[in-house]
Amino acid sequence: MKTVTCTAPVNIAVIKYWGKRDENLILPVNSSLSATLGQNELRAKTTVAADPSFTEDKMWLNNKEQSVNTQRIQNVFREIRRRARKRKGDGDKSKIFSQKIHICSENNFPTAAGLASSAAGYACLVYSLSKLFDVDGEISDIARQGSGSACRSIYGGFVEWQMGTKTDGSDSFAKQITSAQHWPEMCILILVVSDQKKHTGSTEGMQTSVQNSRLLEKRIEVVPERMTNITKAIKEKDFHTFAEITMKDSNQFHAICLDTYPPISYMTDVSRQIVRFVHSFNNHSEETKVAYTFDAGPNACLYLLEQDLGQVVSLVNHFFPAQDNGLNLKVQGLPVSIVKPSQKDIDALSLPVLPNSIKYLINTKVGEGPQILSDPSESLLTDNGHPKTLSS
Ligand code: DP6
């Protein structure tokens, strides 16, 4: 049995992908751009194994067996096996790409809570299979066929997904813009408002938007200029421009959701209160110090610089306190100290206090792309190719 175990990161878009021009190949109507998040805080982990004794392809996700008979998974399998065959040739003795595979995958964060779990999951699956079958070269276009945003999780740092124009999708893949080390002061703070499954999935939501949102037609004209400007801002570490484009793009994406008929609303009253908080804070600072972005769910993702992290977290803790009086909000991930904010800051922001509206915070940074774990004890599968957690 040949086994490979890998991890892959989550990414959060600052220029959103919303809408497909080809549902089967997953080709988008616009290019998009994201930051890859640190894997200590958010990652998928996958073990793949191939063995001549396996009689069928099998997959377990977070301890539950899942069908592999979905169009997306089959597209991924077909494409990775095709490339392995092309590389090795049918004369290859091991023909590992002809063997059946077992896959076991888990996330260290809630699945389908608007925290881009499918992106990390498919990126991890495709990366692991590429190692299992010795496929090298571009693989982000294979991850794209699992879930569009997954192609951006194949790289670390800031990553662009070039929409491409070809009908076969061969020019629609991800490209790293800057490495994970490029902007070390950049912090990413996720305000978890809800870890429940979202009511309208992205796939279904964007399909309806493409069908009937007139605003989406307009957006497609705006994105190329935004992509150019935000790429320049990232390369030059121009936080102000980066932040402004990020917030405008998030707002436009949610405006399109409302323009979709029937309307889709991912943001809640708490999300909107976080938007108010960020604008009040920036206003009071007389400088754009924080940017928000929201995906297909109510959770906020804030981008900000290290020097402002302590002040912002302390103010978030003041205006969105944990239910239990006196207890600070829980922070997962990188450490940050919460202090009592100055009365001047509190008064200047002049916002209501909303207890129990944020569940917890995740503090992370821009991180690296997928990793291979060479220690066999990391494997999620036993020597017989069954999930370790289910075999005990
Ligand atoms: C709002 O990649 O989940 O997070 O391609 O149908 O699987 P499918 O959609 P998915 O959509 C992500 C949408 C988004 C924006 C983004 O990540 O760019």
Side-chain angles (χ1 to χ4, degrees):
M1 187 171 88
K2 183 178 174 191
T3 307
V4 175
T5 301
C6 298
T7 63
V10 162
N11 71 75
I12 302 278
V14 290
I15 302 290
K16 305 293 186 196
Y17 146 53
W18 197 251
K20 297 181 187 69
R21 62 180 200 278
D22 184 317
E23 292 283 337
N24 180 41
L25 287 172
I26 310 197
L27 300 176
V29 294
N30 63 270
S31 294
S32 55
L33 198 149
S34 55
T36 294
L37 308 194
Q39 293 190 45
N40 285 342
E41 289 72 49
L42 299 155
R43 55 122 188 93
K45 179 177 174 185
T46 302
T47 299
V48 290
D51 191 79
S53 70
F54 292 168
T55 53
E56 55 180 336
D57 292 333
K58 272 177 167 285
M59 181 163 90
W60 294 267
L61 178 58
N62 293 320
N63 283 328
K64 277 204 198 99
E65 186 163 359
Q66 304 276 321
S67 168
V68 293
N69 291 320
T70 69
Q71 190 183 35
R72 290 175 173 212
I73 291 174
Q74 289 303 318
N75 285 354
V76 165
F77 285 1
R78 193 181 320 109
E79 188 54 26
I80 196 97
R81 283 181 166 131
R82 190 184 70 78
R83 288 195 202 180
R85 189 173 302 115
K86 199 168 133 201
R87 203 179 111 79
K88 296 202 161 189
D90 275 329
D92 181 73
K93 282 206 185 61
S94 77
K95 276 197 187 167
I96 190 168
F97 48 80
S98 311
Q99 295 171 9
K100 299 293 180 198
I101 47 183
H102 284 189
I103 300 160
C104 188
S105 189
E106 59 178 37
N107 298 326
N108 62 353
F109 60 93
T111 306
L115 286 176
S117 57
S118 66
Y122 274 107
C124 206
L125 173 65
V126 169
Y127 188 79
S128 310
L129 290 175
S130 76
K131 299 293 170 200
L132 186 75
F133 294 157
D134 288 323
V135 170
D136 46 27
E138 187 60 56
I139 55 164
S140 70
D141 57 329
I142 310 180
R144 187 204 75 223
Q145 295 183 50
S147 181
S149 55
C151 72
R152 299 186 309 239
S153 279
I154 291 292
Y155 298 104
F158 280 94
V159 183
E160 168 190 9
W161 173 11
Q162 301 177 334
M163 64 175 286
T165 51
K166 294 188 182 164
T167 46
D168 67 355
S170 57
D171 58 350
S172 186
F173 50 79
K175 200 180 128 213
Q176 186 182 61
I177 290 181
T178 55
S179 75
Q181 288 76 35
H182 167 72
W183 204 347
E185 304 83 9
M186 182 67 89
C187 296
I188 301 163
L189 192 65
I190 299 173
L191 278 46
V192 180
V193 171
S194 160
D195 48 15
Q196 300 298 300
K197 199 170 154 50
K198 50 200 175 196
H199 50 86
T200 312
S202 321
T203 307
E204 182 196 341
M206 68 175 83
Q207 215 166 28
T208 320
S209 297
V210 168
Q211 276 160 15
N212 63 32
S213 166
R214 299 297 302 270
L215 210 54
L216 187 134
E217 294 167 22
K218 203 75 207 146
R219 166 171 171 75
I220 293 164
E221 296 167 18
V222 178
V223 171
E225 192 187 329
R226 275 194 185 152
M227 288 290 291
T228 307
N229 294 345
I230 204 165
T231 301
K232 184 165 176 278
I234 292 165
K235 286 188 176 160
E236 293 173 356
K237 301 194 203 173
D238 167 1
F239 187 82
H240 172 84
T241 306
F242 167 82
E244 204 171 283
I245 298 174
T246 296
M247 291 187 276
K248 286 184 176 172
D249 200 74
S250 174
N251 294 340
Q252 188 178 58
F253 157 49
H254 291 279
I256 286 170
C257 290
L258 282 187
D259 186 48
T260 299
Y261 189 82
I264 309 164
S265 42
Y266 289 122
M267 292 171 68
T268 61
D269 285 346
V270 177
S271 316
R272 282 183 283 276
Q273 206 53 37
I274 296 168
V275 168
R276 255 186 86 190
F277 167 83
V278 170
H279 285 292
S280 299
F281 179 75
N282 287 341
N283 220 7
H284 165 54
S285 307
E286 293 178 353
E287 200 184 325
T288 312
K289 288 187 164 184
V290 186
Y292 53 78
T293 186
F294 295 83
D295 273 349
N299 300 330
C301 176
L302 306 186
Y303 284 86
L304 67 166
L305 298 178
E306 183 99 57
Q307 68 207 35
D308 303 312
L309 184 69
Q311 189 189 10
V312 170
V313 170
S314 299
L315 283 166
V316 167
N317 186 60
H318 175 85
F319 288 109
F320 304 91
Q323 187 178 27
D324 313 87
N325 247 348
L327 270 189
N328 283 337
L329 281 171
K330 287 212 168 53
V331 184
Q332 286 183 13
L334 302 170
V336 51
S337 50
I338 299 182
V339 295
K340 200 175 149 28
S342 75
Q343 199 53 44
K344 188 169 155 259
D345 284 354
I346 294 173
D347 293 344
L349 262 61
S350 132
L351 294 167
V353 171
L354 300 176
N356 199 24
S357 50
I358 291 180
K359 288 195 149 52
Y360 59 99
L361 310 180
I362 305 173
N363 183 27
T364 187
K365 288 216 161 198
V366 180
E368 303 286 351
Q371 315 280 324
I372 183 159
L373 303 176
S374 41
D375 181 349
S377 70
E378 293 282 1
S379 175
L380 298 173
L381 292 170
T382 62
D383 293 344
N384 301 326
H386 285 277
K388 279 184 179 166
T389 44
L390 298 180
S391 306
S392 53

